[in-house]
Amino acid sequence: METRALRILYGCLLALPAVVSAAEAQRWFIRGGAAYADFHASAQAAIAGQQIPGGSATVRHNIGVAFEGGYYIAPNWSVALTLGVPPTAKIYGEGSLASAGKLGEATYGPSVLALQYHFPTGSRWQPYIGAGLNYTVILDTNDAAIRNLGVRNGSGSALQLGVEYRLNDRYALFVDAKKIWVAVRATGWAQGPGGLVPATARVTLNPVIYNVGVSFHF
């Protein structure tokens, strides 16, 4: 009896490195798929230093591709970085600026660094939440009603809510949403009665970004 127990214990000890190795192999994950940015934009605009009463702006929603890479720092906690293939946002006047039509375009690179908590469910469904920081890099701009349009980079906070459905030990399907609070400063020149005059605006973007795709754990 003792010999059998020793054999079982010895077998467990031999298997332990493999178990630890398997656990280590599951510390990393990559998610990728389609992204839909639903902007909740507004703006405070000024022409020649004078604020435009009722003048605002809106940003058209756009579709792109996003990728997220993460690392488990503890069994239920991970740190993840989300990056998007740079989409182009189209900015239009709203309110008293609606008659100006399209103000310009900005191609941007969104990123979110978040701390995530993964709920232990013991099932294929694995929900998670996260909170972190957003940094939006403006890569390019195109003029429309505003000439020589310039948009500065912006930073803000972000919240995340998502769920994975594990297909097996490696692959899963996922869907999540990130609420981002971010504003950028835009400058340029607008056509006035006597010619071009300087225009400035603080554009609040505050998008909700929805992602759906496939994740890989390794």
Side-chain angles (χ1 to χ4, degrees):
M1 186 68 178
E2 291 182 0
T3 302
R4 184 180 178 184
L6 288 173
R7 287 177 179 174
I8 294 174
L9 179 60
Y10 182 66
C12 291
L13 291 175
L14 289 178
L16 184 59
V19 173
V20 172
S21 178
E24 289 292 332
Q26 293 292 318
R27 284 187 175 272
W28 295 92
F29 62 86
I30 298 175
R31 300 188 182 112
Y36 176 76
D38 180 11
F39 289 94
H40 299 263
S42 63
Q44 295 178 341
I47 298 292
Q50 299 297 316
Q51 187 167 343
I52 303 173
S56 188
T58 184
V59 179
R60 296 285 174 88
H61 313 315
N62 53 38
I63 299 174
V65 178
F67 299 94
E68 182 177 79
Y71 179 78
Y72 280 88
I73 57 177
N76 297 322
W77 292 91
S78 67
V79 175
L81 175 64
T82 302
L83 298 173
V85 175
T88 297
K90 299 178 180 181
I91 308 167
Y92 288 80
E94 195 172 56
S96 60
L97 287 176
S99 61
K102 185 177 178 181
L103 303 178
E105 296 181 351
T107 300
Y108 64 98
S111 63
V112 174
L113 179 64
L115 177 66
Q116 300 173 344
Y117 177 75
H118 303 258
F119 294 92
T121 63
S123 71
R124 290 180 180 269
W125 294 98
Q126 298 184 354
Y128 56 91
I129 59 173
L133 300 175
N134 160 259
Y135 190 70
T136 299
V137 180
I138 306 301
L139 302 173
D140 192 20
T141 58
N142 293 308
D143 296 349
I146 301 299
R147 312 282 183 85
N148 295 326
L149 176 64
V151 182
R152 296 181 183 176
N153 300 341
S155 60
S157 57
L159 292 178
Q160 181 180 22
L161 177 64
V163 62
E164 282 191 335
Y165 179 77
R166 296 297 289 265
L167 301 174
N168 52 45
D169 289 342
R170 297 288 185 180
Y171 291 93
L173 303 177
F174 81 93
V175 59
D176 76 13
K178 299 179 183 71
K179 173 63 179 179
I180 297 172
W181 290 269
V182 61
V184 295
R185 181 174 174 80
T187 59
W189 295 85
Q191 185 66 48
L196 294 176
V197 292
T200 60
R202 184 181 185 274
V203 183
T204 300
L205 302 174
N206 292 0
V208 178
I209 300 179
Y210 300 95
N211 298 108
V212 61
V214 178
S215 60
F216 177 68
H217 295 254
F218 59 100

